[in-house]
Every structure is written in C-alpha cells, then in structure tokens.
Amino acid sequence: MLRVRFAPSPTGFLHIGGARTYIFNWLFVRQQGGTMVLRIDDTDLERNTAASRQSIFDGLGWLDLPWDELYSQSERAPLHRQAAQAILDKGLAYRDFTPAAVEPAVGHEESGERRTGAPWLSNPGQREIPPAESNRRAAAGEPFVVRFRVPRETLAEVRFDDGVYGPQARSTGDIEDFALARSDGSPTYHLGSCADDADLRISHIIRGQDHLTNTFKHLLIFDALGVPRPQLAHLPLLLAPDGAKLSKRRHGKVVSVTAYRDAGFLPHAFVNFLALLGWSPKDNREVLTRAEMIELFSLAGISRNNAMVSYKEEEPENWADPKALHLNSQHLRTMPVEDLLPYVEAELRASGLWNDAYSGERRAWFTSTVD
Ligand code: GLU
C-alpha cells in the first residue's frame, strides 16, 4: 500500500517550496493510488505558532488538493518515547550524561561539529558507560541526552537509491552520534520523524534536497527500529534570483502561498506553476490541468538542478514569476466559464459592483458577458 506524507513544521507561513513538496507527493499518490498523509511537525514548542499552523491549512486548502489523513506530531509523544526506549534497549543508543554546557546543539540544525568547528562524533567516555551504571544514573535523576550509537567498530556505508538523485552512500565514520531525545525527554526531529514515518507506514518519503544528509541518519533509525526502509526521493531546491535558497526570512512575500491567493491567482494555475518548478512532463507541455498533471507526473521527470523562481523585488508589478502570471492567464482563458464565475463574482463584490440578479434572473446574461 503506497503511503506518502507532507510534514511541515508550523514555524512560519506556508512556503511555496513546502507547497511544491506537497504537490509532488499528492500527484505521485493520486497517480499511483494510495494515501496522502498530512503530518504537522509541531514538536518545537518554542517556535510553533497557531498562526503558522493556520497558514498551512489555509494555503493547502486553497490549492484544493485534499489530504486523506491528518496527524499532529505533538500528540504522538508516547510513541516517540517508546521508540527511543526500544533503541536504547537494543543497545543501539546510549545515554550521554555530558553536562548541558558542553552539549552540542541537538535537533534539526545539528551539524555534527562542536562549536569549535572541529569534527565531532561523540562526547568522550559516554558510549562506554555500562548499561547498569547508565540505568542507575538515569534513575537517580541525572539529566541525559539519548544518542544513536553509530557503528564505529567496522565502518560501513549507509546506502540508498534516491528516486531523483540516484545512488547515495555515506560512511558511518562521517555520521556523528546524533541525538534521539533531548534531556527533557522530547524527541529530536530525527527520532520523531522516523518513529512517525514507521508507525504511519509511510512507503515513500518525498521531501526537499536539504534533508538528504539527514536521510543517512534516518535509515540507521529505521534499521534500529526493525522496520522496512521507505523509498526516498529528494527534490531540488527553489532558488531566488540572487542564487540563494528561497527563504521566508530573506525573500518575503514571494515565498508565501497565501500571497498568491490574495493577489488573485487561480489555485489550479498556481499548482501548475509550482509543479513545473523542477518537474516537466515528457512532452514538455506547460499548461496542464490537474488531471493531466496526475496522468503525466513521474519522479523520473524531476530534475536534479535547482529551480529558479524569477521576480523583481524592486518592481511591485513584477513581484511574482512571469511564468506564474503567464500560466494564470492561460488557465483564465481556457477554464470553463462556469468555473470562472465565482472568481468574477468575488472581484465584483470586493469592488462593490456585484448585483444579486447576476446569480438570479440575469444569470444567463452575466455568464455570456463574462464569457
Ligand atoms: N518538519 C520537517 C520540515 O519541515 C519535515 C522534513 C521531512 O519531510 O522529513 O523540514
């Protein structure tokens, strides 16, 4: 059974890169037949906001590509704790009692380097603490971080075949003993994500290329949990015209899905635009309906090159990519007039020009006039 997920963190408005990840997952699962899971990765209590969570629902709701199942990671803490315990019990993780002051940053941005910048794989002496002593110190209330015991004795390669980037390999000698759980018991992104992907029986993980290096750690976690590895495919990044990764912080409005909604884009034209950022059908057609995108979509059609979103920040009329505007006008011209009427109605209402007769006795006139 094919199951995919989109797992946004509610820490800002819905990013167009996130929306594109959602669209690729959605097209893939609708074509192949399966289940689309939306999982809100809301374990970072300090950075989560209700407004951001709402913007995910508003943005995805506007795209009109419905998901089948919805979960919030924060409600699944017992499962994450069990997963950490199961890996500890197998001896594949250990407690690290190094005082917090010298603890490297854990979580999403974990780099594997100490603050000095020197390569760092594990804190001295912690891997070797005998289980009985580790249990005793934990029971006595000493704080600890749970770390994955990355195999060091015989260096092996973690390998996988990426659905977009092809064969990937990384030596376990290059993977630090990453944290699974923080000293307050909360899961890191790596553990929460994998425990949930395993529990939700996710068969394919399709996500941004910025997660590719995390994947080696995730495969180690899946193996430690004793669950089958999902298939993985990473998506090329979206770049701004300055060549930088398109980011909420640096590039503002152009990155926000709801900005396009508020500017009057048609959702299916916008989906068409986002789908073409990094993917193209075999015949290179550009104006595509949703049904055509479902039919033509394939992971093989995704490019390994990062995709550029072009816009001119300093020119208000060019704030959006010209291709988005072009596709929008093509869809406006070709969509059935019945589908167009609600948009025209919304515009007329907003301008105070709407007359209820247009949906009553003058409907035929209104329709032919709009046409
Ligand atoms: N919450 C993570 C993010 O927003 C999910 C990444 C993933 O798909 O695993 O980056």
Side-chain angles (χ1 to χ4, degrees), residues 34 52 83 97 100 107 135 140 165 172 175 196 202 236 254 259 271 280-281 292 304 318 326 345 353 356 365 371:
S52 164
F97 295 94
N135 291 341
Y165 290 89
T172 50
I175 304 173
D196 280 339
I202 300 302
V254 71
V271 168
S280 49
E292 288 167 333
R304 293 179 188 177
N318 291 318
H326 167 72
E345 176 177 336
L353 295 170
D356 282 338
W365 170 84
D371 205 20

Side-chain angles (χ1 to χ4, degrees), residues 42-43 53 70-80:
D42 55 354
T43 51
R53 192 183 166 89
L70 172 67
Y71 302 91
S72 286
Q73 216 171 32
S74 59
E75 290 163 7
R76 303 167 61 80
L79 179 96
H80 304 146

Side-chain angles (χ1 to χ4, degrees), residues 107-118:
H108 216 158
E109 291 82 30
E110 189 169 24
S111 66
E113 309 244 318
R114 269 194 191 263
R115 286 186 199 104
T116 58

Side-chain angles (χ1 to χ4, degrees), residues 172-191:
T172 50
D174 294 330
I175 304 173
E176 82 283 5
D177 285 357
F178 52 95
L180 297 174
R182 303 188 183 88
S183 50
D184 62 1
S186 64
T188 59
Y189 155 66
H190 302 307
L191 176 70

